[in-house]
Every structure is written in structure tokens, then in C-alpha cells.
Amino acid sequence: MFGFVSLRWVVILLRVASWILSFAVHANGEKKATDNILSSRWHRDRGMRLAGKGAPGEDFVAHFHRAIFPSIGEGEDALMADVPEALDFSNLAVSYMRSGELDLAARYLTVGLSMEPFGFTLRNNWKDLQRLDSTFRLCPWKRNLWEAGRLTGGSGNNNREGETMFHFLKQLNPPTTTAHQNLGVGLYRATLPLQSLLQSSRSEQQRAELHEYLTILSKWGLYHFEQVQLRDKLFPDNKPIVDFFKRHYAPSQRPRKSDYSVRLCRKSRGYSKATDYFVEGMTLLNFVNTRNTKAARYYLKRAHELSPQDTVASVAYALSLARSINEFPDDGTKDDNAVFEEALRVLHVALADRSPELELVVQYAEKLRAFLREKIALLNVAVTDGGVVEMVVEVSPGRATTPTAETSTREQRLASFSATFETLEDERVVYPQPTGESQMAKNAWARWRVEYLKRHVRAIDAVRNGKLLLKDARFIVCVVPDVGFGNQAASIVSSLLLSMLTNRTLLIHFPPGLEHSWSVLREHVTFPLSEWTEWIYEDVVGAFDSQAVLRSSQSVLLHEETEKSDAMAWESLLCSEDLSAYMESPFVYFSSNLHFFRLIETNPHYADKLAAVFRGDVFGHIARFLIRPTDPVAEAASTFVREHFPGRSFRLPQDTDRSTPSRPASGGSLVVGVHLRTGMDSNERDRAILFTHDRNAVLRAALRCLPGLVERESSVTLEDDDEIESFREVVVFVACDNAHIRQEAIEQIESLDVVSKAIAFSPSAEASRGKTGMYFALVDLFLLSQSDVILRAGKITSMFTTLAAGLNVRGSSQPVYMSPVTTPTFIQCDIRGLKNTCGVELSRNLPKMGVVESVLEGHGDAVGKCFGGVVEAAAHLRRKGALYPHCEELLSMDDRAAWLGNEKKVTWGAVEREGPISGFLGAAWGILGF
């Protein structure tokens, strides 16, 4: 009896222990879920189990929401321990489809499609959504996700094959053999999971659907491989794939453009700018390749700004801010403190959300906030032996930093510039240290930048804090003209130099109605300091009484037509001993589309000072400091350079020091940037006088000069070289304002014997329209800045080319070749009967004011008094190369203009000269058969 009772109690105790253990495991799992330590996959599985059991919608939707964020762990990969997959966004979308919230369903489903464009389940779910409402429509993605895919496509992340498709799809523009081959491989990879599902599926209906979809993808893949085989350029490693496709899926089928659609159309139901930005940012954030985080941060910020009450978008933006610190520790352009503080500010709003379906997202935000606070403590506070707390402030190039401890002040922010101006150059880029005058000039320019930024920060802070009276304000307002961005940059750069010389603060004003307005540009270019708003006139002037500002303002107009210009302004810039004496008003408005800095550079009272600081490259120094690509543009240019420019990597113009020229290894590659300025149909002036009636004349001019250019560059060597070797590869990058000519240029240039390949960033009609066109134009601009030499054809004084040359990272000796064009509507130089039809000069000599002597002489003796009269002043400007070039200047050769050498002994075939040599000589063109 006793034994039986004992056995019975043993059984009871074992059952109790089992229940306790089960409860403990369950409780521990829930605790981990609450603390956001478990993976995205755990939350996905938990949500699916709850949905299968018929749990309330908010319960499993909460887990599906949490599944679209990575877990927060420890170490360097704390925010990348696991990455959500396309299926996680698909599950969340289906949940919203069931609850009837179709707009949200479309938002999350398009994120999933962007991550896995050919996912079988995702495509079927989209079809279900369209059955519920046919006004949901997909269009091809035309912008930065393609560039993100290029990064991912080359990273070898085989566990996320869907992402690589963006890389391959983008390359279809233009449809080169490489593009077709890559897309064929990508489509083959997309069929592998379908083949696996087909073998394991027991549902006849599903097997039929899988087989149909597999067949379609395979036929598309076979089509792209066939395009490669037509040119006999199939890689041997890909031949088994082609054979497989031919055995099982022939004949091929050409895909339509709509077959590659992954995003909501603008006219689709559910589309909004906030949704557009969210989808793009969230996709970039969850690509495995971490180099996409910068772009994700930009787009999620825009989504958050447009919809600040969107908790998911806010948390995603905060996550991108937190992750960017870990992933770019040596960026050299960020303030970690400010980034973390911005993330905490965004999370503060998200934490107020009490929606049941977002409960776990809010808990995730709490965990992220704790993570950020810990990081801030580690970054910013160092406790000394005496227990005194001091700030550790990192200063980045051209960016003001803001200490975040309570003891920090604005003076600390300003003092940090002076204390560390030597660190303004990016430490990632190592250059030979210049000596003597070159080093002195470098240090002087660093001090100029620092002192200006200190003054700029002090003025803007005073305005925002209401501590600056109008009578004490000292601003120069650059009134941006209604012209192309190259001309706008000419005005902005010149205005910044004037601001530096007169102890004023520059503000940039984009008047309403401009075609290239700030609303178009701000997505693609930015300026130094942490916020571009610190430079925009409208964001500052509102602190003052508008009528009082107008009453106390001064307006200056410098124009290419005499009657529209201010003679006193010309005289002041050319001859004044003190430029600040001319500007007495609090706000001085400068309206110009000219490089008027050339007047100041010529002024005898400022010439020596500017020469000592800039060493002949005023425009390049200021342009590289001031004009910077936004993250998406830089990412796009970076991936393009890495993929198409042999042995090169993208260098931000602001991170480069051009005092030491670049020099490649003998026999290396040559990258030629060709800018074809034909005229835009949307520009009335272009239609009237440029080459819109004969655009091919511009291309013919470029083709006429390219062979001689390559031969000339190949013949250059330095005295310490043993022999001259031809370039192993010559790559020509084409930038053009017309899609048809751009595509034709690629085909004709690539057919030249001296060219290995010709490429363009996006040779399509998209590159010439509105905001989309501006994106492509700005990427083209920064890609031209990475080239070794530039060839400009069409409008020789195009300031777009001038800006690209000023931003160039290859050294101040970079040559710019010129091929003038003459048509009945636009005569630059009559080249008929001439043997030499091309010229070359140094990039630092390129900025022209776009005026001739008569513009100045029209003002009479009111201009040029310090030169003895206006005629003498105009002649001096002509000798300085500041005026619109004559024909002989366009067709002349500057012997210093060579990519390979600067201040070295240079050999031109059989002709030797000591460099640098002043003047223009045209002999080499005759030798090379131009």
C-alpha cells in the first residue's frame, strides 16, 4: 500500500514538474519576444501559428509587424543579427488584406516584391490583391533601388538571390551583352526555388501554377542568353545554363517591360509620396549588403517627414540612423552625436503609439532607444581620473558638430572647428604630402573653410535664437538664375568666395518658378553642415520683418548683356581695394549666371592673396567644398564606377586633394568622360540657337576627336619611365542631354578601334525629364568628375562640363579636350578647311564668364579704372582666359594639359618640352593627324 501511494505521488510530482517546465519555457519565450531578442523568423512563425489557431487579428499582426525588423543583439552586428525577408512583408500584407486595409497591404507587398521581384508567393498575393481591387497597379522601378541591387548583385549573397535581380534589371538600359548575360543568370537563379517547390509539392493545382511560372522565367532567361550568343560573347561558365534552358524550355520568349514591375504606379490606388519613400527606404534597409543603409536613411527620413505619425516608418528611420553609425565608422562626414540624438527624437514620437497591432513594434522601439543611449554614453562622455566629465567631439569635413551633454554650448561647437581644422581631409584617402608653397596653400584653404563655417554657424544660430538684429545682419544672398545647374553653380561658387572675402554669410535663394528649383535639386545635391536648410534663404529670412528687409536691402545684377548689368558692380569686383565697402546693407542680393569670381581673381588687390591660397584653382577648391552629392546619388555613382571604370573606386569630390595629381601605372586603363551638349527640347533658348536642328553634328565632332585624344594620351610619359605603353583598356563614359544621341553615341564610339567599351549611366528618355532627369544629370555630373580626361563637344562653354571639371578628383592637371561644332544656328568656330579641329587645356583654366570684351566696353570708362581703362581691363581678362574663347583658343593645345604629368618632364611622341609651359601650341594635333 505504501509503495503504491509512493508511486502515485511520484507520477503526480513528475506531471507537476512537466507543467512547470513547460510554463517556464513558454514564459521565457514570451519574455524574449517582448525583449526583442528573438529573431525575425521567430516572430514570423509565432504569428503564423496564432493566425492558424484563429487568434484575434491584432495578436498575430503584432508579430508580423515585429518580424519586419531585425533583432537587437550585441557587438558590431547588433542591428544586423538577422535580416527580415520578403516573406515577412508578404505575411503582413495578407493580414491587412484580410482586414480590408488594402492600401497598407499594397505598401508592404510592394516592399516584398522589391526584395524578391520574381517570388512565386508574392506574385500570387499581388494577384489576389488585384482581384479585391483592380485599381492597384504595378510599374517598373526606375530609380535608386536599381542601384541598390547593383551593390547587392556583386556581393555574392547567395542566400538572398531575389535582391540581385535589381542589379541585372538595371543593366538592361542599355541592353548590352553584359546586361543580357547577367539577367539570364539572375533568372536562372530565380528558377531554382521553383524547381525545388515543384518536386516537393503534392497539390496538383499548385504544381501546375509552379510549372507555368517556372516555364515563363526560363523562357525569359533563354531569350537574354540568345541575345548574348548573337554576338558570340557567352561566358563558358554559363553554357550549361543555356543548354538546360534549351532542353526543357525552348523556344525563348521576350519579356515585356511590364513583366519586371515591382512598385505602385503613380496613378494606382494606394500611391503616395510617403508610401513611395517608405517602400524604397525599407527595401534598401533590409538588403543584406550594408552599403545601402545610407540611401535607406535618406528615403526613410523623407517618409517620416511626410507622415510623422506613421510609427513603422518612424522606427525604421530611427533604425537606419542607428545602423549607419556602425556601418560607416570612417565616413568622415557625419556627427555621431547628432545622428543618435535625431534617432532618439524620432523614437520619442513612436513610443506614444498604443495601437494593439503595433505593441511589439513599440517594445522594439524601447529596446532601440536603450541601445542608442548606451552608444551615446560610450561615444561622448569620458570620465577622467578626477571625475570631471568632458566632451569628446568628432569633427568631420565641412560639417558642424553639436555636443549633446548638458554642459555643451554653442561656443564649444564653434571652437571645435578651430581646434581640429587639420582633420578636415578624409583620413581614408592617403596622398603624398605636398611640401613648401603647396602645403602652405593647403593649410590656408583649410583655415578659410573653418573660419567661414564658424561665422556661418554663429550667424544662423543667432537668427534662429532671435539674437540677431537686422541692423547687425551681414548676408550675401545668391539669387539663383533660371538656367541649368552648371550656371547656377557658377553663381553660387562665386557668391561663396565673395562672402569669404567680405566676412559675410552666404544664403542661397531659389525664386519661385525655376525649372531647376531647390525642390527638384535637394534630393540630389547638398551642402556642408548638418542641415541644408542652414544655407537656404527662405529658412532664414523669415526671422526678420519682410518689409524691413526689403527697405534695407541692396541688389546687384551681373549679366551677359551690358544693359542688364550694374557697371558699379563690375568696377567694384575688378578694382575695389575693399569689396566689403561696396556692400553696406544687411542683405545684399547678387543675381548672376556668370563665373564672376574671375573678376575678383583678376583684381590686383586680391590676385596675389587668391593665388597663394588656391594656386590657380579657385573654382575647383570651392566647388568641391560646397557642392556634394546626396547619399543616393553618391551610392549610384559609386556602384557605377566600381563596375565600369577598371580598377577605380568612387571618390567624393570633397574628400580629395588635387594639389597632387593622380598618375596611373604604365599601361593601365584610361577613362574618358564625353559630354555631348546638344540642347534640350524643353529649353526655348536651346531650341532657338543650339543644335536641336542637327544634333548629330555634336556626335560627329566627338567622333572626330576621340582617336587623336587616345593616341595623344597614350604617347605621354614621364622622364622616369623606361618606355611608353598603350593603355590596356580605354573606357568612354557618355553624358548627353538627349536620349537618342546618347544611345547612338554609345554604339558608334564603341565601334572605334581605340575604344574598349562605351557606356552611359542611363541612356533612356528618363534622363531628360523633370526630377527624374535631374537625378540622372547629377549622377552624370559626378561620374564625369571621376574620369581621367574630359572631351566636351557641342556647346564648348557649357558650364555643366565646367562644373564636372572643377569637381574632378584626378588632379589639377586633368586635361579637357574641346571639339567645337558649327551649325547654321550656332557658330562657335569655323572649322571648315582646318586640319586641327580640336583643342585641349587644363581644367583649372576652364571657368569662363560667358561674355566677350564688348559687354565690358559697353560700360565705358566706368569699368576698369585700375587697369587704365575698360579696354585694358578687357584685354587683361582675355589674357587670363576669363572671357568667352576665340576660335584659336578653342583649337590650341596647352602643353601642360596631360593626365599623366604635372610640373614634370613630359614627352609628346618625338617632341619634348619642359612643363609647365605657358601659352598654347598646336603642333601635337598635326603630329597625331587631327
Side-chain angles (χ1 to χ4, degrees):
M1 180 70 177
F2 181 80
F4 175 77
V5 173
S6 299
L7 181 61
R8 181 180 177 187
W9 278 105
V10 169
V11 173
I12 293 173
L13 288 173
L14 287 173
R15 288 181 177 177
V16 171
S18 176
W19 292 337
I20 293 173
L21 181 61
S22 176
F23 177 79
V25 170
H26 179 75
N28 187 50
E30 291 300 323
K31 179 180 184 296
K32 286 185 177 181
T34 302
D35 291 344
N36 297 288
I37 297 175
L38 291 182
S39 67
S40 171
R41 179 170 296 183
W42 186 93
H43 285 282
R44 181 209 307 164
D45 295 342
R46 180 66 176 167
M48 294 181 72
R49 285 198 301 271
L50 290 172
K53 293 179 180 179
E58 60 267 18
D59 290 352
F60 60 81
V61 173
H63 283 283
F64 287 151
H65 267 118
R66 171 57 188 81
I68 66 174
F69 291 100
S71 61
I72 300 177
E74 304 293 339
E76 292 185 359
D77 294 329
L79 302 178
M80 286 288 291
D82 62 315
V83 180
E85 299 179 6
L87 183 60
D88 297 312
F89 292 92
S90 179
N91 288 338
L92 185 56
V94 171
S95 300
Y96 278 118
M97 286 167 62
R98 291 181 177 180
S99 64
E101 298 178 79
L102 301 186
D103 289 355
L104 286 173
R107 176 168 94 159
Y108 292 112
L109 196 52
T110 48
V111 176
L113 284 169
S114 298
M115 294 173 66
E116 193 176 333
F118 297 111
F120 176 72
T121 303
L122 288 153
R123 289 290 176 180
N124 281 347
N125 287 341
W126 182 261
K127 290 179 182 178
D128 290 338
L129 178 63
Q130 284 191 309
R131 291 190 190 101
L132 294 173
D133 191 329
S134 61
T135 59
F136 286 103
R137 294 184 292 111
L138 289 178
C139 288
W141 203 296
K142 301 174 183 177
R143 294 179 60 194
N144 295 298
L145 277 180
W146 306 126
E147 302 312 314
R150 293 158 70 100
L151 290 172
T152 310
S155 64
N157 294 308
N158 293 326
N159 59 322
R160 300 294 292 278
E161 295 296 348
E163 298 171 7
T164 67
M165 295 309 298
F166 284 108
H167 170 64
F168 304 137
L169 289 170
K170 173 61 180 178
Q171 289 186 330
L172 282 180
N173 220 346
T176 62
T177 55
T178 301
H180 283 300
Q181 191 145 214
N182 284 343
L183 190 51
V185 173
L187 286 163
Y188 171 72
R189 290 176 176 176
T191 67
L192 296 179
L194 296 179
Q195 295 178 46
S196 178
L197 280 173
L198 191 61
Q199 293 177 359
S200 61
S201 176
R202 297 182 179 180
S203 168
E204 288 299 325
Q205 181 179 351
Q206 186 187 47
R207 285 175 60 84
E209 293 175 351
L210 284 167
H211 187 271
E212 179 183 3
Y213 193 45
L214 174 61
T215 300
I216 290 174
L217 295 185
S218 301
K219 286 179 177 292
W220 291 347
L222 181 58
Y223 166 80
H224 290 293
F225 278 124
E226 287 176 348
Q227 306 312 301
V228 179
Q229 288 181 313
L230 289 175
R231 299 189 182 184
D232 196 24
K233 292 187 177 182
L234 182 69
F235 292 151
D237 291 346
N238 293 334
K239 192 174 186 305
I241 300 177
V242 179
D243 293 339
F244 171 79
F245 280 154
K246 286 184 175 179
R247 283 197 308 270
H248 298 283
Y249 299 104
S252 64
Q253 178 179 328
R254 180 174 183 172
R256 298 166 300 176
K257 189 176 181 180
S258 59
D259 292 327
Y260 294 150
S261 298
V262 293
R263 65 179 290 268
L264 280 174
C265 300
R266 291 184 179 273
K267 295 183 179 180
S268 167
R269 174 184 164 177
Y271 175 85
S272 69
K273 290 296 291 184
T275 296
D276 211 15
Y277 287 131
F278 175 83
V279 172
E280 186 156 2
M282 203 66 174
T283 307
L284 292 166
L285 188 67
N286 289 303
F287 272 178
V288 172
N289 192 301
T290 59
R291 286 171 292 179
N292 295 310
T293 299
K294 279 188 175 181
R297 172 174 157 182
Y298 170 81
Y299 285 103
L300 289 170
K301 178 180 181 180
R302 299 299 304 275
H304 168 71
E305 291 173 343
L306 290 172
S307 185
Q309 301 306 315
D310 186 337
T311 298
V312 175
S314 298
V315 175
Y317 172 44
L319 175 61
S320 71
L321 289 166
R323 188 184 288 172
S324 64
I325 301 298
N326 284 346
E327 293 174 10
F328 305 98
D330 298 323
D331 187 293
T333 59
K334 60 177 170 47
D335 172 6
D336 292 357
N337 299 318
V339 171
F340 281 146
E341 290 293 339
E342 170 70 4
L344 289 176
R345 183 189 64 78
V346 173
L347 288 174
H348 179 74
V349 177
L351 289 169
D353 197 315
R354 292 293 179 264
S355 305
E357 66 273 13
L358 295 177
E359 177 184 1
L360 294 181
V361 174
V362 173
Q363 292 177 8
Y364 180 83
E366 292 173 347
K367 181 76 174 181
L368 184 58
R369 180 174 64 176
F371 171 86
L372 289 167
R373 286 175 173 172
E374 180 181 351
K375 285 289 186 180
I376 289 175
L378 292 174
L379 279 172
N380 298 329
V381 182
V383 181
T384 65
D385 293 338
V388 180
V389 177
E390 58 184 22
M391 296 304 302
V392 180
V393 181
E394 298 287 342
V395 178
S396 304
R399 186 178 292 270
T401 60
T402 308
T404 55
E406 293 181 1
T407 57
S408 66
T409 65
R410 180 170 57 86
E411 292 307 316
Q412 284 177 298
R413 180 188 184 195
L414 299 175
S416 66
F417 284 109
S418 298
T420 58
F421 78 88
E422 293 87 356
T423 68
L424 283 172
E425 299 299 336
D426 190 341
E427 295 179 357
R428 295 172 302 162
V429 183
V430 180
Y431 302 100
Q433 287 300 311
T435 58
E437 294 182 2
S438 178
Q439 182 64 54
M440 293 173 61
K442 180 179 178 182
N443 290 343
W445 171 230
R447 290 189 180 92
W448 275 42
R449 300 200 306 271
V450 168
E451 290 304 316
Y452 175 77
L453 289 174
K454 287 171 59 178
R455 182 169 66 252
H456 194 108
V457 168
R458 186 181 292 114
I460 300 302
D461 283 354
V463 170
R464 291 178 173 176
N465 295 328
K467 296 181 180 180
L468 181 64
L469 300 177
L470 179 60
K471 66 181 182 65
D472 298 323
R474 290 295 179 269
F475 292 104
I476 285 180
V477 181
C478 173
V479 182
V480 175
D482 191 12
V483 289
F485 181 65
N487 294 66
Q488 292 177 341
S491 180
I492 295 171
V493 167
S494 296
S495 297
L496 180 57
L497 176 64
L498 189 59
S499 300
M500 288 177 164
L501 293 172
T502 57
N503 293 319
R504 284 179 171 258
T505 301
L506 174 65
L507 297 176
I508 305 171
H509 174 43
F510 289 81
L514 297 187
E515 182 178 354
H516 298 104
S517 65
W518 182 239
S519 63
V520 174
L521 287 168
R522 68 182 182 186
E523 296 183 17
H524 315 305
V525 293
T526 188
F527 307 118
L529 301 178
S530 57
E531 299 178 13
W532 54 258
T533 54
E534 299 187 26
W535 297 86
I536 303 303
Y537 169 74
E538 288 79 4
D539 293 302
V540 176
V541 72
F544 302 101
D545 178 76
S546 59
Q547 294 301 317
V549 169
L550 291 175
R551 287 194 300 270
S552 60
S553 65
Q554 177 184 356
S555 295
V556 179
L557 179 61
L558 288 170
H559 198 269
E560 56 195 17
E561 298 179 25
T562 304
E563 58 272 17
K564 294 183 179 180
S565 293
D566 184 345
M568 187 178 296
W570 285 95
E571 173 63 11
S572 177
L573 295 175
L574 263 176
C575 291
S576 176
E577 296 183 21
D578 182 8
L579 290 172
S580 60
Y582 172 63
M583 295 174 285
E584 300 177 350
S585 302
F587 284 83
V588 180
Y589 297 82
F590 262 82
S591 301
S592 178
N593 68 339
L594 307 177
H595 285 285
F596 65 82
F597 81 87
R598 297 302 305 266
L599 300 175
I600 306 173
E601 188 182 37
T602 307
N603 186 318
H605 305 291
Y606 287 89
D608 291 342
K609 181 178 183 179
L610 296 182
V613 175
F614 298 107
R615 293 175 61 82
D617 189 21
V618 176
F619 180 73
H621 278 86
I622 298 179
R624 292 191 298 278
F625 162 65
L626 183 62
I627 298 172
R628 307 174 175 203
T630 57
D631 289 341
V633 169
E635 290 284 352
S638 178
T639 54
F640 190 89
V641 168
R642 185 169 53 255
E643 182 172 329
H644 295 292
F645 292 5
R648 316 300 171 89
S649 59
F650 181 75
R651 291 161 60 185
L652 290 168
Q654 68 263 29
D655 292 344
T656 59
D657 174 12
R658 296 206 317 182
S659 61
T660 303
S662 299
R663 179 172 176 234
S666 180
S669 60
L670 178 72
V671 177
V672 181
V674 174
H675 181 215
L676 305 176
R677 177 72 165 94
T678 71
M680 294 179 289
D681 291 326
S682 60
N683 187 310
E684 183 177 345
R685 182 176 175 84
D686 280 6
R687 290 199 308 272
I689 67 172
L690 284 188
F691 313 107
T692 54
H693 307 298
D694 184 13
R695 295 186 190 277
N696 283 307
V698 178
L699 177 54
R700 291 194 298 271
L703 293 170
R704 185 175 61 242
C705 282
L706 265 172
L709 179 158
V710 176
E711 186 175 354
R712 180 178 186 271
E713 290 297 324
S714 300
S715 71
V716 179
T717 186
L718 302 182
E719 63 177 349
D720 56 350
D721 283 339
D722 296 331
E723 59 183 26
I724 301 173
E725 296 182 19
S726 297
F727 293 107
R728 289 193 303 269
E729 188 172 5
V730 176
V731 176
V732 177
F733 168 73
V734 179
C736 182
D737 54 12
N738 180 269
H740 173 74
I741 297 298
R742 188 188 302 112
Q743 181 61 44
E744 190 172 341
I746 292 172
E747 296 170 359
Q748 293 198 35
I749 291 174
E750 198 165 56
S751 68
L752 296 176
D753 293 337
V754 296
V755 175
S756 305
K757 68 174 180 179
I759 50 174
F761 176 67
S762 184
S764 67
E766 294 299 325
S768 305
R769 296 201 299 266
K771 287 189 176 182
T772 304
M774 182 55 65
Y775 165 74
F776 288 116
L778 267 296
V779 175
D780 277 351
L781 174 73
F782 288 102
L783 287 174
L784 285 172
S785 78
Q786 309 294 305
S787 61
D788 302 323
V789 299
I790 290 179
L791 168 61
R792 63 196 313 173
K795 187 181 179 184
I796 294 300
T797 55
S798 168
M799 292 189 184
F800 187 87
T801 320
T802 301
L803 180 55
L807 295 172
N808 190 273
V809 299
R810 297 293 176 198
S812 58
S813 63
Q814 184 222 19
V816 176
Y817 291 78
M818 293 160 288
S819 182
V821 180
T822 297
T823 70
T825 58
F826 194 82
I827 300 175
Q828 297 177 112
C829 182
D830 191 352
I831 60 176
R832 291 173 296 182
L834 296 180
K835 183 177 181 180
N836 302 330
T837 58
C838 303
V840 62
E841 67 176 10
L842 292 180
S843 61
R844 63 185 175 206
N845 290 334
L846 273 176
K848 314 291 184 185
M849 288 196 300
V851 299
V852 294
E853 287 84 348
S854 60
V855 176
L856 281 78
E857 293 169 358
H859 292 296
D861 292 335
V863 174
K865 296 176 183 177
C866 61
F867 292 96
V870 67
V871 175
E872 290 77 7
H876 192 74
L877 286 169
R878 171 65 62 187
R879 289 193 296 271
K880 294 278 288 185
L883 301 181
Y884 197 98
H886 292 324
C887 186
E888 55 268 26
E889 292 175 319
L890 291 175
L891 300 181
S892 298
M893 185 197 75
D894 182 349
D895 269 27
R896 299 166 298 170
W899 173 40
L900 294 184
N902 183 37
E903 298 181 0
K904 298 280 188 179
K905 186 177 181 182
V906 179
T907 302
W908 303 101
V911 181
E912 288 192 359
R913 306 190 186 280
E914 292 288 340
I917 302 174
S918 61
F920 295 88
L921 300 173
W925 292 122
I927 293 172
L928 298 177
F930 272 79

